[in-house]
């Protein structure tokens, strides 16, 4: 008798199954008692179907989100009862028997159907319930599809997938390591890798011509919407290549993936190349959103001898916006308030009137010559508005100008939401001066090759040395970093020496790489597209935690597993640790 029931998924039952007896399993989504007839919505990963019974006792003891197996016959609903919101909306199951497999508590922490709107801390504490929400689980399913597709792309390009160790050695790569005390080796520590940087370079020395992996990366940093402590990269490296070879692979990965998984307009390769200095000047950031047509203009030269102290001898930037001069005072006050909220001492602006004069809070501080040059150099038209950003430090002026540019783009609704606009930011500085530490450090990846090689390190000021270092950027998000690697041992030693690491320290901290480069290292380079950010953009969400199955909370705690947690005194003794 059992064999007459066809086991099916809820969303796979169709009108072709009418009068067929089926067995279905899933979660109880909803229960509706209409007096003498009871309706139950049964859900699994494929969809939802309505169950119906005239027997009040059959659905006794049912609670929402319990798991059940039901047997019954498929029948057509009356037209008045069709549900156009589900794929099984024209049919239902007349239940003959039901078995409760796992009973749920009567009171749920939140409604599953709206869990994505609930407080995030609560969602992550009960993530297994949150994942039952179709909107949430679809993000995870799409992630799996994207990973499968990325592997197909890399395989088609003849890259070899190689897994590298998770437990490794601590190394100074720019972020803070997660360290692991060793039980066997007293007083020594392993570390989780910030990235497979050294291992992939060793693979190149080992003759693996083109390597890739979906690599987990760990950094003991504060979490943000676009960064978590544990994330994944499509890590790849190539031997005997130049920068352009890596660009082409990166462009194919991003273009093919984004066009495959989205209907939005995607930049066609070759992606626009923007030198770092140009990006900082025009957009105020090294990860510009090119959907925003506004650009920043440097007008520092106009105010070199200005009598207005905030501008005199400072870095002065302006953003010109046409056709907004007649907007209300409250419209401009919003921008002033925003400038204050991000730490700016103020923001000045002027409007060009139809009699070719300027009007605005900053106009009284300008000389006739300065007014004339502003109008001419920025190509102002009637009702054009100039917003002024100034600071003694160029870096701070760039930062504020970039934030104001983004705010204006959003406020004016001029950012095309139907585009994925890619670009490549290149020619990064090799070094940057850290004011708080009063020393130079690497601006980006410390293993990048300086432009001009070792001669540039010997002859140029550190501020003038650029690196074969680049970022792929999309819609204001850094999607990948890459570089040609510094495979010349003498050049590598000198680069680290410039930031305070002696040859002995380099030899100790990067022992494996140091030794390997003495045995014929090939020129090599690569990049590492961020999986989480790719999935985030393609799912049209703005938080990485929405596309990770079990992410930590914004504070860095794992509310589900209650981590970090205390350990026993015995465990501490085994790894020779004492809490201070």
């Amino acid at each position: 008798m059992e064999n007459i029931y066809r086991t099916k998924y809820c969303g796979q039952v169709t009108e072709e199954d009418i009068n067929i007896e089926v067995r279905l399993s899933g979660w109880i989504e909803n229960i509706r008692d209409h007096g003498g007839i009871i309706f139950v919505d049964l859900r699994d990963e494929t969809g939802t179907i309505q169950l119906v019974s005239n027997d009040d006792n059959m659905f006794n003891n049912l609670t929402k989100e319990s798991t059940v197996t039901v047997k019954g016959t498929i029948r057509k609903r009356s037209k008045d009862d069709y549900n156009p919101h589900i794929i099984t909306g024209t049919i239902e199951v007349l239940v003959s028997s039901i078995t409760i497999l796992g009973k749920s508590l009567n009171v749920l922490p939140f409604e599953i159907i709206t869990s994505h709107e609930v407080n995030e801390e609560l969602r992550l504490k009960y993530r297994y319930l949150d994942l039952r929400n179709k909107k949430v689980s679809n993000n995870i399913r799409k992630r799996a599809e994207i990973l499968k597709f990325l592997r197909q792309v890399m395989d088609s390009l003849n890259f070899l997938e190689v897994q590298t160790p998770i437990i490794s050695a601590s190394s100074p790569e720019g972020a803070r390591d997660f360290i692991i005390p060793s039980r066997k080796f007293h007083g020594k520590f392993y570390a989780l890798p910030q990235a497979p940087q050294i291992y992939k370079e060793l693979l190149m020395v080992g003759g693996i011509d083109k390597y890739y992996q979906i690599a987990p990366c760990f950094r003991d940093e504060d979490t943000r919407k676009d960064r978590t402590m544990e994330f994944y990269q499509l890590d790849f490296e190539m031997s005997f290549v130049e920068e352009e070879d890596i660009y082409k692979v990166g462009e194919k990965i991003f273009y093919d993936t984004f066009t495959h998984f989205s209907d939005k307009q995607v930049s066609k390769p070759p992606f626009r190349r923007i030198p770092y200095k140009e990006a900082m000047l025009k957009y105020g950031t090294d990860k510009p959103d090119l959907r925003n047509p506004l650009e920043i203009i440097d007008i520092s030269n106009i105010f070199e001898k200005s009598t207005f102290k905030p501008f005199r001898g400072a870095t002065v930037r302006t953003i010109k916006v046409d056709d907004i001069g007649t907007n209300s005072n409250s419209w401009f006050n919003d921008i002033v308030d925003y400038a204050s909220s991000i730490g700016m001492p103020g923001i000045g602006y002027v409007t060009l009137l139809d009699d070719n004069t300027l009007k605005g809070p900053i106009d009284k501080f300008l000389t006739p010559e300065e007014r004339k040059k502003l109008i001419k150099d920025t190509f102002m038209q009637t009702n054009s508005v100039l917003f002024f950003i100034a600071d003694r430090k160029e870096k701070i002026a760039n930062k504020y100008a970039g934030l104001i540019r983004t705010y204006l783009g959003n406020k004016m609704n001029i950012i095309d939401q139907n585009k994925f606009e890619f670009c490549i930011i290149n020619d990064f500085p090799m070094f940057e001066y850290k004011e708080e530490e009063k020393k130079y450090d690497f601006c980006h990846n410390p293993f990048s090759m300086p432009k001009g090689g070792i001669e540039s390190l010997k002859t140029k000021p550190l501020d003038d040395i650029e690196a074969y270092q680049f970022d792929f950027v999309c819609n204001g998000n850094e999607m990948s970093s890459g570089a040609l690697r510094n495979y010349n041992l003498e050049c590598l030693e000198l680069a680290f020496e410039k930031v305070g690491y002696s040859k002995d320290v380099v030899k100790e901290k990067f022992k494996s790489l140091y030794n390997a480069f003495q045995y014929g290292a090939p020129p090599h380079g690569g990049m590492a597209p961020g999986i989480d950010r790719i999935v985030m953009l393609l799912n049209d969400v703005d938080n990485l935690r929405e596309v990770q199955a079990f992410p930590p909370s914004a504070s860095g705690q794992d509310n589900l597993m209650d981590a970090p947690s205390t350990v026993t005194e015995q465990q501490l003794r085994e790894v020779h640790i004492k809490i201070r």
Side-chain angles (χ1 to χ4, degrees):
M1 191 69 178
E2 286 287 310
N3 293 332
I4 68 169
Y5 291 100
R6 298 182 186 177
T7 299
K8 289 209 169 194
Y9 286 102
C10 296
Q12 293 177 343
V13 181
T14 69
E15 290 188 19
E16 293 182 0
D17 297 308
I18 289 174
N19 297 324
I20 298 294
E21 293 177 306
V22 297
R23 178 193 289 111
L24 304 172
S25 298
W27 283 263
I28 299 298
E29 187 170 275
N30 203 8
I31 305 169
R32 304 181 302 282
D33 188 345
H34 285 193
I37 184 167
I38 298 177
F39 297 98
V40 172
D41 295 329
L42 184 68
R43 180 193 70 241
D44 66 13
E45 64 174 8
T46 64
T48 305
I49 192 167
Q50 179 172 279
L51 314 179
V52 61
S53 175
N54 297 311
D55 183 355
D56 288 343
N57 295 321
M58 183 172 291
F59 290 157
N60 273 350
N61 299 317
L62 269 190
T63 54
K64 289 171 66 172
E65 295 307 315
S66 293
T67 53
V68 299
T69 289
V70 300
K71 295 178 182 178
T73 304
I74 304 300
R75 70 181 188 184
K76 187 80 175 280
R77 293 198 203 187
S78 64
K79 285 190 176 180
D80 292 341
D81 294 330
Y82 282 1
N83 183 352
H85 302 296
I86 59 175
I87 57 176
T88 60
T90 62
I91 55 178
E92 61 188 10
V93 182
L94 181 60
V95 177
S96 58
S97 70
I98 182 168
T99 303
I100 298 176
L101 303 173
K103 188 172 181 179
S104 173
L105 293 174
N106 250 322
V107 180
L108 298 169
F110 44 72
E111 288 294 324
I112 301 300
I113 197 167
T114 55
S115 74
H116 58 284
E117 300 172 3
V118 174
N119 172 274
E120 186 183 63
E121 297 281 336
L122 187 62
R123 288 176 62 197
L124 295 181
K125 182 177 180 180
Y126 296 96
R127 185 63 164 176
Y128 44 84
L129 294 180
D130 190 35
L131 287 169
R132 296 183 191 178
N133 179 312
K134 187 174 182 180
K135 183 180 178 70
V136 178
S137 64
N138 281 348
N139 289 343
I140 306 304
R141 294 179 194 283
K142 193 166 187 178
R143 182 187 183 106
E145 293 170 9
I146 292 169
L147 287 174
K148 180 179 179 181
F149 184 83
L150 288 171
R151 282 192 166 97
Q152 290 171 350
V153 172
M154 301 310 288
D155 291 344
S156 73
L157 295 171
N158 297 317
F159 280 80
L160 182 70
E161 185 172 9
V162 183
Q163 282 76 46
T164 56
I166 298 299
I167 298 176
S168 184
S170 178
S171 63
E173 294 181 33
R176 188 182 293 109
D177 285 330
F178 280 103
I179 59 174
I180 308 168
S182 170
R183 172 186 58 81
K184 190 174 181 179
F185 302 98
H186 190 176
K188 294 189 176 181
F189 295 80
Y190 301 102
L192 301 180
Q194 296 181 29
Q197 180 68 49
I198 293 177
Y199 285 113
K200 67 181 180 181
E201 293 199 57
L202 293 175
L203 287 172
M204 299 299 101
V205 180
I208 303 294
D209 183 55
K210 297 164 80 174
Y211 133 94
Y212 87 96
Q213 70 171 313
I214 307 296
C217 303
F218 307 89
R219 293 174 189 177
D220 188 3
E221 298 180 325
D222 293 340
T223 59
R224 302 198 298 259
K225 279 191 172 185
D226 65 345
R227 176 174 294 172
T228 55
M229 297 180 295
E230 179 181 353
F231 57 94
Y232 284 79
Q233 296 176 342
L234 172 61
D235 199 65
F236 72 86
E237 198 81 2
M238 310 156 66
S239 288
F240 303 105
V241 292
E242 297 178 346
E243 203 170 36
E244 195 65 33
D245 298 312
I246 308 170
Y247 288 170
K248 288 178 180 177
V249 174
E251 286 168 338
K252 178 173 177 60
I253 289 168
F254 282 113
Y255 183 76
D256 287 6
T257 303
F258 276 73
T259 53
H260 184 84
F261 287 98
S262 176
D263 295 328
K264 292 184 180 183
Q265 182 181 337
V266 183
S267 306
K268 291 183 178 179
F271 298 158
R272 182 178 163 191
R273 276 77 156 148
I274 305 173
Y276 171 83
K277 289 181 181 178
E278 180 184 333
M280 296 306 294
L281 190 147
K282 285 187 176 180
Y283 310 110
T285 177
D286 57 6
K287 47 182 180 182
D289 187 346
L290 297 186
R291 297 173 302 168
N292 185 346
L294 299 177
E295 290 189 359
I296 301 163
I297 306 168
D298 180 35
I299 52 172
S300 304
N301 63 312
I302 296 176
F303 298 103
E304 285 178 350
K305 299 179 181 179
S306 175
T307 57
F308 185 44
K309 283 187 178 181
F311 285 6
R312 183 182 177 91
T315 296
V316 187
R317 305 284 198 243
T318 190
I319 301 172
K320 186 191 71 163
V321 186
D322 293 326
D323 302 320
I324 63 167
T326 57
N327 286 6
S328 66
N329 286 337
S330 62
W331 194 91
F332 288 97
N333 288 339
D334 285 345
I335 299 166
V336 174
D337 290 343
Y338 172 74
S340 177
S341 74
I342 60 175
M344 291 179 63
I347 184 168
Y349 58 90
V350 292
T351 303
L352 182 63
L353 304 179
D354 54 13
D355 62 358
N356 213 39
T357 61
L358 296 177
K359 175 188 175 183
I362 205 105
D363 178 58
K364 61 185 176 183
F365 300 109
L366 304 178
T367 66
E369 181 62 24
E370 288 168 349
R371 292 187 186 97
K372 184 177 178 181
K373 283 187 68 65
L374 278 174
I375 294 169
K376 179 183 177 184
D377 291 0
T378 63
F379 302 98
M380 292 184 80
Q381 306 167 11
T382 300
N383 285 327
S384 291
V385 175
L386 293 182
F387 294 93
F388 297 92
I389 302 97
D391 199 274
R392 296 292 162 190
K393 295 180 180 178
E394 182 179 1
K395 190 175 182 178
I396 294 176
N398 287 339
K399 171 190 168 184
Y400 286 146
L403 291 171
I404 294 295
R405 172 181 176 267
T406 299
Y407 182 80
L408 287 169
N410 288 321
K411 183 174 176 63
M412 297 169 61
N413 199 28
I414 56 175
I415 296 175
D416 190 341
Q417 301 298 324
N418 200 40
K419 279 185 179 180
F420 286 120
E421 198 73 49
F422 282 92
C423 64
I424 299 171
I425 308 299
N426 57 14
D427 297 345
F428 274 86
M430 183 79 180
F431 306 99
E432 64 177 338
Y433 188 74
K434 301 281 190 178
E435 287 282 354
E436 60 277 9
E437 299 169 21
K438 304 299 181 187
K439 67 182 284 289
Y440 279 93
D441 202 350
F442 292 106
C443 179
H444 229 299
N445 191 316
F447 301 101
S448 301
M449 177 67 79
K451 290 198 167 186
I454 194 168
E455 285 305 311
S456 65
L457 295 175
K458 290 179 176 179
T459 60
K460 287 186 176 181
L462 297 190
D463 290 325
D464 295 340
I465 300 174
E466 294 177 344
Y468 286 106
Q469 170 77 48
F470 53 85
D471 285 352
F472 276 61
V473 172
C474 179
N475 294 4
N477 297 277
E478 180 192 319
M479 304 301 294
S480 179
S481 283
L484 288 181
R485 313 303 179 189
N486 190 349
Y487 69 98
N488 179 297
L489 202 52
E490 186 182 356
C491 187
L492 187 67
E493 289 172 352
L494 186 54
F496 274 90
E497 182 183 306
K498 295 292 184 181
V499 297
Y501 291 95
S502 68
K503 178 178 177 179
D504 289 340
V505 171
V506 174
K507 197 171 181 178
E508 178 190 350
K509 289 291 185 182
F510 310 110
K511 185 182 297 184
S512 57
L513 205 60
Y514 189 92
N515 291 336
F517 280 1
Q518 299 179 73
Y519 294 94
H524 57 280
M527 56 188 279
I531 298 293
D532 306 272
R533 289 185 184 171
I534 291 173
V535 181
M536 182 180 78
L537 263 62
L538 289 173
N539 276 305
D540 200 24
V541 295
D542 64 354
N543 190 326
L544 288 184
R545 295 188 290 277
E546 292 293 341
V547 298
Q548 296 173 332
F550 297 103
S553 68
S555 67
Q557 291 180 301
D558 184 338
N559 295 345
L560 177 63
M561 303 299 288
D562 194 24
S565 60
T566 58
V567 296
T568 66
E569 179 62 26
Q570 179 62 30
Q571 287 174 295
L572 291 173
R573 286 179 179 275
E574 287 176 349
V575 291
H576 322 292
I577 293 290
K578 183 177 182 179
I579 303 296
R580 291 192 296 179

